[in-house]
Amino acid sequence: MCSSDLPLNQLAASEIVSAIAAKQTTAEAVARACLDHINAREPQVEAWIYLDPDLVIKQARALDASGKVGPMQGVPVGMKDIIDTADMPTEMGTPIHKGRRPSLDAACVALTRRAGGLIMGKTVTTEFANRHPGKTHHPMDHARTPGGSSSGSAAAVGDAMVPLALGSQTTGSTIRPAAYCGCVGYRPTYGDIRCAGVMEASGSVDTLGIIARSVEDVALYRDVLVGIPPQPLSPHVMPAPRIGFCRTPFWYQCEPGTQKSLEDCADALAKAGAKVTDVTLPDAFKGVEEAHQWVTSFEFARNRAWEINTHYEMISETLRNNRLKHGLACSFDTYRDARATLARVRRSLHDVMQDYDVLLVPAADGEAPVGLNATGNANHCLIWTSTHVPCMTLPLFKGPHGLPVGAQLIASRNNDRLLFEVARWVVAHYK
């Protein structure tokens, strides 16, 4: 039995690894605890599109019999259903690909298995990781969206079904649902984590994303996915950081309570010793929303050429009348100009970040919206996705209905480790 007082399904990934290494529990015991909780909660939450309990237990027993203790030994992980798995279907949230069986694991799946991780199953994605929602409900209020497109991944972690799940992000598909569901969400520096075997939405900005319970778990899984030996975060919390408090061009879209929570957070972190300064983004950022839309829509429409040619009637009206319509109408010259705009914005952000360790910005408007026909406003993420920088949302706030509201931290490109250290400082000092 694990020495922690928490049920096994509520343990963080690092706690599971430590408990298995100390022979306080087994991968099978952890898997069974997660399966029991899923069995009780899945009818309400509907986070999973594929889950085979027999396969889960078979994997867990093999891990226990191996005698190995990998860096993620016995940790159950949910995989967004745009990520190829050789032993499970990958359907991409569309009936067009119902029952599709890849022959290979995606790189991220293979790396997870190599580290001793247990692939629990496939989590619900919106259609082609885009706007049309899947079946998943918010784990704390079933009348609300869990966000998207990594809907099932965020709901599964938020409901303690698994300690870790992979999502993806083209606009806000990891950060926003993680914020809604009370999780730590992380989008890495663009290009650090290989996406081989992951459905491409828009290759110019796509990344995988990690949804977890702690900053430490994110750091562990990030190193596994990069393919390097995990480097634990320093046992000592870093000195007070330099934080830029940024009311972005989308600040007006935040609910008043979210604005106040972020302003109070900036004040509290300054009182705790951080150097907090207000930041205004330069004029170059005014065109980022339109440029992001042109680039992502143009690429998405080309990536879905086969489905458009052969199964157009099976694509939702939501997708046909928005992302595909916009992308197919975009000329190559407009697309090329939009890419140049985003390149200029990236250079501008690099200059802005010289004086800061991180920026503090909204992760979403506020609590998850009521209704299951949409996944919420993603604008609070698109600047940072477009600029290829690492981002993290922390579940620091509660909204007017007691539901989670995230605070997003932004670091400069290639400073993911610094982002983790500052995030830990913020968690330790925010009151």
Side-chain angles (χ1 to χ4, degrees):
M1 178 64 68
C2 177
S3 59
S4 172
D5 292 332
L6 290 174
L8 291 176
N9 67 290
Q10 293 183 22
L11 295 181
S14 55
E15 292 173 323
I16 291 170
V17 173
S18 296
I20 290 175
K23 301 189 183 303
Q24 295 171 343
T25 191
T26 64
E28 182 176 351
V30 173
R32 288 190 182 278
C34 291
L35 286 172
D36 288 346
H37 185 68
I38 291 170
N39 187 56
R41 293 286 295 159
E42 178 64 3
Q44 293 79 41
V45 179
E46 297 188 287
W48 302 89
I49 196 66
Y50 183 87
L51 192 147
D52 180 349
D54 291 338
L55 178 59
V56 169
I57 297 304
K58 180 181 178 181
Q59 291 181 80
R61 287 175 175 169
L63 288 168
D64 288 333
S66 72
K68 299 178 182 177
V69 181
M72 287 180 56
Q73 192 72 18
V75 175
V77 183
M79 289 287 167
K80 184 175 181 177
D81 194 33
I82 63 167
I83 300 171
D84 281 352
T85 40
D87 53 358
M88 305 174 191
T90 303
E91 298 178 340
M92 297 182 275
T94 170
I96 296 172
H97 293 292
K98 186 172 179 61
R100 173 180 171 267
R101 286 269 181 171
S103 59
L104 303 173
D105 282 337
C108 57
V109 176
L111 289 164
T112 302
R113 295 193 203 270
R114 181 191 295 175
L118 189 158
I119 309 304
M120 197 75 176
K122 308 303 285 288
T123 56
V124 172
T125 177
T126 61
E127 180 188 26
F128 293 116
N130 215 273
R131 298 185 179 188
H132 189 66
K135 63 181 181 177
T136 309
H137 299 246
H138 194 285
M140 302 162 202
D141 183 341
H142 305 324
R144 295 174 185 262
T145 178
S149 61
S150 305
S151 315
S153 291
V157 175
D159 200 61
M161 294 176 175
V162 285
L164 285 174
L166 277 187
S168 65
Q169 184 152 310
T170 303
T171 304
S173 292
T174 293
I175 295 294
R176 177 184 40 166
Y180 285 166
C181 293
C183 306
V184 176
Y186 162 66
R187 180 201 186 270
T189 292
Y190 173 80
D192 277 3
I193 298 175
R194 298 297 89 212
C195 290
V198 181
M199 187 212 81
E200 180 180 302
S202 173
S204 290
V205 292
D206 283 354
T207 64
L208 288 166
I210 298 173
I211 300 175
R213 295 197 187 124
S214 71
V215 176
E216 290 79 6
D217 281 2
V218 167
L220 168 66
Y221 199 13
R222 181 258 184 185
D223 286 351
V224 166
L225 294 175
V226 171
I228 61 176
Q231 306 169 49
L233 298 177
S234 169
H236 307 292
V237 176
M238 69 175 292
R242 303 169 302 159
I243 299 175
F245 179 41
C246 184
R247 296 173 179 85
T248 72
F250 305 108
W251 178 256
Y252 72 97
Q253 296 175 358
C254 288
E255 296 171 5
T258 303
Q259 293 179 349
K260 186 176 188 308
S261 290
L262 284 160
E263 289 167 345
D264 290 348
C265 180
D267 290 342
L269 297 178
K271 290 176 182 176
K275 182 182 178 182
V276 180
T277 311
D278 284 340
V279 177
T280 300
L281 296 176
D283 289 344
F285 285 78
K286 291 181 179 178
V288 68
E289 180 180 10
E290 183 178 36
H292 175 87
Q293 186 178 34
W294 283 126
V295 168
T296 56
S297 295
F298 181 95
E299 293 181 356
F300 181 83
R302 274 73 188 170
N303 286 332
R304 301 276 67 82
W306 182 83
E307 290 89 354
I308 293 170
N309 289 349
T310 61
H311 296 287
Y312 188 70
E313 73 288 351
M314 296 177 70
I315 300 172
S316 72
E317 289 188 15
T318 306
L319 195 51
R320 293 200 307 251
N321 294 335
N322 288 280
R323 181 72 83 182
L324 287 179
K325 182 178 180 181
H326 191 264
L328 293 171
C330 180
S331 70
F332 183 73
D333 286 343
T334 298
Y335 166 67
R336 188 169 51 191
D337 289 346
R339 287 198 307 182
T341 296
L342 295 185
R344 288 193 296 272
V345 172
R346 289 177 198 124
R347 291 193 293 270
S348 180
L349 182 61
H350 175 79
D351 294 339
V352 169
M353 293 297 298
Q354 295 308 299
D355 295 326
Y356 307 101
D357 296 313
V358 299
L359 301 182
L360 172 65
V361 300
D365 292 349
E367 294 176 321
V370 174
L372 301 175
N373 294 323
T375 58
N377 179 16
N379 282 349
H380 302 290
C381 304
L382 73 82
I383 292 175
W384 322 115
T385 302
S386 297
T387 47
H388 292 173
V389 294
C391 319
M392 178 170 279
T393 180
L394 301 172
L396 297 185
F397 316 134
K398 296 288 185 183
H401 299 93
L403 296 174
V405 176
Q408 186 173 193
L409 300 178
I410 311 299
S412 57
R413 190 169 180 179
N414 300 320
N415 275 314
D416 300 58
R417 292 281 298 188
L418 176 61
L419 174 64
F420 302 156
E421 296 288 1
V422 176
R424 282 205 311 166
W425 190 95
V426 170
V427 170
H429 290 85
Y430 175 68
K431 308 296 182 185

